[in-house]
Amino acid sequence: GSLLAVRKLEISTGRFVSGEPLDLHLGFELARDKAAPIKAVLQSRLTASPDALKLAKLDLKVDDSRLTGSMEIRNFASPAVRFDLALDKIDLDRYLDSGKPADKPVAKSAPDAGQPVELPLSALRSLDVNGKFRIEEIKALGLRAKDTHIQLNAKNGLIAFGPNQAKLYGGGYRGETVLDVRGKTPQVKMDEKLEQVQIGPLLKDMQLFDHYTGTGNIGLKLTAQGFDAGQIKKSLNGTVAIAFRDGKIEGVDLIKLIEQARALRDAARGKPVAVKTTESDATVFKSLTANVRVVNGVAQNDDLVLDGANLRATGRGTADLA
């Protein structure tokens, strides 16, 4: 139901000789329904032959973003891709927005739209990609990050995303995820960390929670297997470690709850009742820690500890992630 149109297309090159470099200039405007058009201009030193393509001194401007670097594709029958790219800034949410009214319902494309999507094993096994991608500033799905370094290495069915890193929300991210499709069943291995991150702004931008503040470390080491997202979630195994400090949970005042319980007890005993009132309910804590074990998609925590100025709370629980 969408309409994309390429307009104002212009292309110019130097003299073309197979296998010899030439100057390339490409410009166009991409119109998309009601959304603002995307303007793109590419300049590069292009070398093309029947079985290879190389873009050196690549300089691509898309609206107010600029991508520079190099890219090479060898052996079109079984492509080997190499790249080293750098992007100054980009707001991906600007392009993910369709420009359609927010209150317009989205129609399902087909009755089986909810069916799981299986991994394209044949395509993944044939990947031969090695490259680095650096982004100075990025906004995506509401999240913001700086100095992002991404690495991708895929060969013979072993696909590694990382080691990657970024600066975000006063702290940093480090991690690597490996997808192994060499065998009959795809295997996933994740080792991801958030360190010294301001949790409040992070969760708010993710549109998850708007009632938490504090500095947090989150680390997860998980493995899984399966052909689609459902199977992968059911086979998750590993650990997740959470440690927050100097934070606040709004909407719940544990001290107040304790005082109310004491007041009820005193009232039952015929004693005078005096309950302090506060303008807003909140629990301030020095630290909040928890270690989670995940076994076949079920997460279990037995050591939740919240330490506050005047209280200590413990907890435990489970969650079926599937």
Side-chain angles (χ1 to χ4, degrees):
S2 298
L3 175 65
L4 297 176
V6 175
R7 298 172 180 165
K8 300 181 181 179
L9 175 66
E10 60 177 39
I11 182 170
S12 62
T13 73
R15 180 173 176 267
F16 176 74
V17 177
S18 181
E20 294 187 8
L22 59 87
D23 290 325
L24 168 68
H25 173 89
L26 172 66
F28 62 89
E29 188 174 282
L30 183 64
R32 343 168 262 157
D33 290 332
K34 297 179 181 179
I38 300 171
K39 298 179 180 179
V41 177
L42 167 68
Q43 298 189 75
S44 182
R45 190 73 170 156
L46 169 69
T47 304
S49 67
D51 203 33
L53 179 70
K54 182 178 181 180
L55 291 169
K57 298 182 179 179
L58 185 149
D59 190 338
L60 171 63
K61 296 178 181 177
V62 178
D63 294 330
D64 55 357
S65 301
R66 185 180 183 187
L67 178 71
T68 58
S70 62
M71 176 179 286
E72 183 176 4
I73 304 175
R74 299 191 296 265
N75 186 14
F76 292 152
S78 181
V81 180
R82 303 292 181 264
F83 63 87
D84 188 349
L85 301 169
L87 182 64
D88 60 352
K89 59 183 177 180
I90 192 168
D91 181 354
L92 286 178
D93 293 340
R94 170 181 178 181
Y95 302 109
L96 293 173
D97 182 11
S98 65
K100 297 177 181 178
D103 57 352
K104 184 176 181 180
V106 179
K108 291 185 178 181
S109 58
D112 61 346
Q115 294 297 316
V117 178
E118 290 197 0
L119 294 172
L121 297 186
S122 177
L124 292 173
R125 287 169 180 158
S126 66
L127 283 177
D128 183 353
V129 181
N130 185 282
K132 296 183 292 184
F133 193 19
R134 299 173 301 284
I135 309 173
E136 292 181 24
E137 295 183 29
I138 183 172
K139 178 174 176 284
L141 302 176
L143 298 177
R144 302 172 187 272
K146 294 183 178 180
D147 298 333
T148 302
H149 292 250
I150 301 170
Q151 297 189 53
L152 173 60
N153 189 5
K155 183 74 173 179
N156 298 327
L158 190 62
I159 305 165
F161 300 94
N164 303 322
Q165 63 184 46
K167 296 178 182 177
L168 68 168
Y169 298 93
Y173 155 79
R174 293 185 295 118
E176 182 174 16
T177 293
V178 177
L179 176 62
D180 188 346
V181 293
R182 294 175 295 182
K184 292 182 178 180
T185 305
Q187 309 283 330
V188 182
K189 183 179 180 180
M190 293 169 278
D191 188 350
E192 310 282 345
K193 296 182 180 70
L194 288 175
E195 299 170 319
Q196 302 300 311
V197 170
Q198 294 300 314
I199 296 299
L202 172 67
L203 295 177
K204 184 176 180 179
D205 283 354
M206 292 177 71
Q207 297 184 356
L208 292 178
F209 304 104
D210 195 15
H211 305 290
Y212 296 83
T213 61
T215 302
N217 294 341
I218 302 174
L220 62 86
K221 292 185 178 181
L222 296 170
T223 61
Q225 61 182 6
F227 295 92
D228 58 54
Q231 294 179 9
I232 289 172
K233 282 193 284 188
K234 290 179 180 178
S235 64
L236 275 172
N237 285 275
T239 59
V240 178
I242 300 170
F244 298 163
R245 62 176 174 81
D246 302 326
K248 181 170 64 174
I249 305 173
E250 297 179 358
V252 177
D253 187 342
L254 292 179
I255 293 290
K256 183 178 178 181
L257 290 175
I258 294 170
E259 290 177 347
Q260 289 175 337
R262 288 174 175 166
L264 289 172
R265 177 198 62 190
D266 291 343
R269 294 176 178 177
K271 295 182 179 180
V273 176
V275 179
K276 296 179 182 179
T277 59
T278 56
E279 294 183 1
S280 61
D281 290 337
T283 299
V284 178
F285 61 84
K286 294 180 180 178
S287 68
L288 173 63
T289 60
N291 292 285
V292 180
R293 292 180 292 110
V294 184
V295 179
N296 296 328
V298 178
Q300 179 167 339
N301 164 248
D302 295 318
D303 63 355
L304 175 71
V305 176
L306 183 148
D307 274 320
N310 301 306
L311 68 90
R312 176 182 172 88
T314 61
R316 57 183 298 172
T318 62
D320 189 337
L321 303 179

